[in-house]
Amino acid sequence: MLPVYVCAAGVNCAVAADRRLNPNNPYAAAYADHPGEGAARIYYLFGDIPGASERYVDVFRATAGISGTLGEGLSFRLNGVYARDNFNLTQHGAISIRGLLSAINTGAYDFVHPEQNSAAARAQVSPDRITPSSSTVATVGGSLIKAVTALGGGDLNVGAGFQLRRETLMNRSQNADQSYYGLNTSSAQGRQTVSAGFFEVNAPFTRGLDVDLSGRYDHYSQGYGHFSPKLGAKLTPVEPIAFRATYSQGFRAPTFAENNPLSSYAGFSTFSPPASFVAAHAGNASYGTSYSIGSGARGNPDILPEVSRSLTFGTIIKPARWLDLTVDYYHIKKSNLIVSGPRRSEAIAAYYSQPNKAAGCDALARVAKGYACNVVDAPDPANPEALPRLLVFDVPYVNANDEVSSGLDVQANARIRLASGVRLIERLDATRVLRLDLVTPDGVVQRYAGTLGPYELSSGSGTPRIRGNWQNALEVGAFSLATTTYYVGRIKQVAADRIAPVGGVIDLSCQHTLAPINKGGDVGTQCYVRPFLYVDLNAGVTVNDQLRFFLNVENVTDARAPLASAAYGSNPNYLSSWHYAGLVGRNFSAGASVRF
């Protein structure tokens, strides 16, 4: 709000001796005798204050180790590492709430002619924000390996070892005092000691059967520990064909952000208010538009580690010395999955189902323990009794869900000798995601494969079902030319974590698309992000062992990133995680590498 009068002190200007009409307020003269009624509301982008950030890190690292043999067939290794990084983040262009209010009340900043603002005026409104952070790790570990006896396929090797690790983290919030507009309040801090012991037994019983058994126990100073076994086998019935399989159990310890109450994470996603809410705010267009709604998750000291079971089956086919093909199936189930606010959608819906702020916040808090209103918008001046917008709400970190993922990984390699000094190299890598399902505490299955889900966790980047790359390289003497073709399959612009279940089932049809569809548009077509394919070109010539020249052309076909109108991450309307090359376009780099 721009006041009628400004003054040097910026306080009680309406009665100050040096008061003057506010040159930025177009109503100032008309309300000179009634300054309490003449404030002007302003929406402003500060186009004369450029935004940017600088990141600077110092890394200090020291390592030491010793290894050798102790008698026949027994080898040992002992090593240690200490590392520390000091990280500084400097943010330019962020608006200081205190500095802005002072500039408004003193008239120091010219809103009408921003090009006339001095560097001092801009610095008052937007002083640089410098945030220092640091982390350290100190590790000591050792191992012993012994060749115990000879088997049909080689030596039976047994190994065991230990590790002791100390970790600290101080990742400070850019906006801990909430004195800036727009700066994130996320932070993480903590310290822990981890001790571990492990073993491995490799038993090549025959030339066609190799079995490997290993295990590791980790204990964390927070009070939890876990044993993780793994069993693997490789069977080669005939030379060109081999089968392999593994079974393993694992765990993921909570991060400092997840288990330390002093840590917090602020996440934002795009939200469109329901029609009933828009209708209640008729006459105020801003209440009918989409906006960013935030959820703040704070660390939970009672959180438990995630545990998992993994199973893989695969085959290796090598019909010729120059050709091999591998196909692997994987199935992974995670339990005690650590999630923040698994009922976000329900909490938001509960708030917006109520007529006013008090009832809305009560309904949100009843969804589950740990949910609460944090920041609610100021009342709508045009409809002050109506429900205001929910801006930020608190959510808990909990061990809530199970996650199941499965898929196929395919790889093919061919090395073809065309002539003396001429070789063609082919490589194909492809992944097919069969399942990526999250099971909520209520037993509802959220299916993500082929959609923009998990929408909250991935910033709307999604989970394409098919992706892969195909590399072709021709080597002629010292010259090499290679092309790599990348492919990402189409993605449906729906997300299970943004759709309320009906009868325990989530409808992933295009009727729930997150993409805005123009009137008369084809929902069945526009709710998909089309497939994306692009090609990189690399050429090089090796002069000798010390000198090599190269030319790289990324996205040589200048393929354009497909439109993803439901995306909300760093590049709205595009999925930068999968289509970044199409945002940059064709680009070149050339140079030389020299060894001394």
PDB file of all heavy atoms in Angstrom, residues 69 158 243 267 286:
ATOM      1  N   THR A  69      49.520 -57.424   1.983  1.00  0.00           N
ATOM      2  CA  THR A  69      49.198 -58.829   2.219  1.00  0.00           C
ATOM      3  C   THR A  69      49.723 -59.248   3.575  1.00  0.00           C
ATOM      4  O   THR A  69      50.743 -58.750   4.066  1.00  0.00           O
ATOM      5  CB  THR A  69      49.806 -59.718   1.122  1.00  0.00           C
ATOM      6  OG1 THR A  69      51.235 -59.538   1.102  1.00  0.00           O
ATOM      7  CG2 THR A  69      49.236 -59.363  -0.238  1.00  0.00           C
ATOM      8  N   VAL A 158      36.595 -65.058   0.584  1.00  0.00           N
ATOM      9  CA  VAL A 158      35.809 -64.584   1.720  1.00  0.00           C
ATOM     10  C   VAL A 158      36.382 -63.244   2.162  1.00  0.00           C
ATOM     11  O   VAL A 158      37.610 -63.099   2.300  1.00  0.00           O
ATOM     12  CB  VAL A 158      35.833 -65.587   2.884  1.00  0.00           C
ATOM     13  CG1 VAL A 158      35.045 -65.040   4.073  1.00  0.00           C
ATOM     14  CG2 VAL A 158      35.271 -66.928   2.452  1.00  0.00           C
ATOM     15  N   PHE A 243      22.360 -66.911 -17.379  1.00  0.00           N
ATOM     16  CA  PHE A 243      21.220 -66.406 -16.618  1.00  0.00           C
ATOM     17  C   PHE A 243      21.733 -65.884 -15.282  1.00  0.00           C
ATOM     18  O   PHE A 243      22.633 -66.474 -14.674  1.00  0.00           O
ATOM     19  CB  PHE A 243      20.174 -67.491 -16.382  1.00  0.00           C
ATOM     20  CG  PHE A 243      19.636 -68.093 -17.644  1.00  0.00           C
ATOM     21  CD1 PHE A 243      20.172 -69.270 -18.153  1.00  0.00           C
ATOM     22  CD2 PHE A 243      18.607 -67.475 -18.343  1.00  0.00           C
ATOM     23  CE1 PHE A 243      19.679 -69.829 -19.322  1.00  0.00           C
ATOM     24  CE2 PHE A 243      18.117 -68.024 -19.511  1.00  0.00           C
ATOM     25  CZ  PHE A 243      18.648 -69.200 -20.011  1.00  0.00           C
ATOM     26  N   GLY A 267       7.619 -26.847  -0.057  1.00  0.00           N
ATOM     27  CA  GLY A 267       7.369 -27.199  -1.448  1.00  0.00           C
ATOM     28  C   GLY A 267       6.114 -26.508  -1.959  1.00  0.00           C
ATOM     29  O   GLY A 267       5.153 -26.294  -1.207  1.00  0.00           O
ATOM     30  N   SER A 286      -8.698 -12.083  -9.315  1.00  0.00           N
ATOM     31  CA  SER A 286      -7.487 -12.754  -8.848  1.00  0.00           C
ATOM     32  C   SER A 286      -7.794 -14.033  -8.077  1.00  0.00           C
ATOM     33  O   SER A 286      -6.973 -14.938  -8.021  1.00  0.00           O
ATOM     34  CB  SER A 286      -6.666 -11.810  -7.969  1.00  0.00           C
ATOM     35  OG  SER A 286      -7.374 -11.481  -6.783  1.00  0.00           O
TER      36      SER A 286
END
